[in-house]
Every structure is written in structure tokens, then in C-alpha cells.
Amino acid sequence: MDQKDKEKILARSREENKGLDERERQLLAQANTVGLVGLLAVFLVLFLIELFVKGGKSYDLLAMLSGFLSVSSFCRYYYIRKKLLLLTGCLWLFCTVVWIALYIWKG
């Protein structure tokens, strides 16, 4: 790798990380992970209440969860470029469409 390539990479890295140092980036990533765990916990509680207490269908909750997972997979694919993430995003998107269709059709 020549010096010009190194300089381009460093300039791009500085632009992408503008205003954040490595510690702050790690803390943001950790906060996002904790937030996701909280989201999944609330989802699970609402899903179980809907299923066992109210006896209803939870197509709306499933659509929201799979939609979130789809967008998350597509975003990670955009940055990491692993084809498995693209496939995962497409599968979750398909699930989202199915859950929304069932929500509209069956309520």
C-alpha cells in the first residue's frame, strides 16, 4: 500500500469519526446493544400478555420486531458487506411483509 492510499484511508476515517473518539464509539455501540436487549424484553412481555392474557394475535408486534431486525441487518450489510447479512435482512423483510399482511387480513 503506498503513501497516498494510507492518507486517503486516514482522511476517510477522520471524516467518519468526526467528533467521536474510539472510547465514545465503543460506549455508543454498548448502549445500542443494551437498548436492543431492553427492546426485546419489552417485546417479550407484550407478546406473552397478548398471547396468554388477552388471547389475541400478535401480528403487529411480530411485524415491528421483524421490521427492526430487517433494517438492522440491511444497515450492518451496508457497513460490513457480508452477504449473510443481506440474506438475513431479506428474510426478515419477508417475515415483516407476511406479519403485516396477516395483521391486515386477520386483525
Side-chain angles (χ1 to χ4, degrees), residues 65-85:
L65 178 65
S66 60
F68 168 80
L69 293 171
S70 174
V71 171
S72 176
S73 293
F74 286 134
C75 184
R76 289 186 298 157
Y77 170 75
Y78 176 80
Y79 290 111
I80 300 174
R81 297 291 183 189
K82 287 188 179 179
K83 291 184 181 181
L84 180 61
L85 292 171

Side-chain angles (χ1 to χ4, degrees), residues 13 17 19-29:
S13 176
N17 299 318
L20 294 176
D21 64 11
E22 185 62 29
R23 180 177 176 273
E24 290 170 328
R25 289 181 63 211
Q26 288 178 352
L27 289 173
L28 284 175

Side-chain angles (χ1 to χ4, degrees), residues 4-68:
K4 289 182 183 181
D5 289 338
K6 289 179 184 178
E7 290 174 14
K8 286 181 184 178
I9 292 170
L10 284 173
R12 189 173 5 162
S13 176
R14 284 187 197 107
E15 183 65 30
E16 289 173 356
N17 299 318
K18 194 181 284 186
L20 294 176
D21 64 11
E22 185 62 29
R23 180 177 176 273
E24 290 170 328
R25 289 181 63 211
Q26 288 178 352
L27 289 173
L28 284 175
Q30 185 177 5
N32 287 338
T33 300
V34 171
L36 175 60
V37 170
L39 172 80
L40 292 174
V42 171
F43 167 81
L44 182 61
V45 168
L46 291 174
F47 182 79
L48 292 174
I49 289 171
E50 183 70 29
L51 189 65
F52 294 113
V53 176
K54 294 186 173 187
K57 298 169 182 72
S58 299
Y59 300 129
D60 52 349
L61 292 172
L62 292 169
M64 287 189 286
L65 178 65
S66 60
F68 168 80

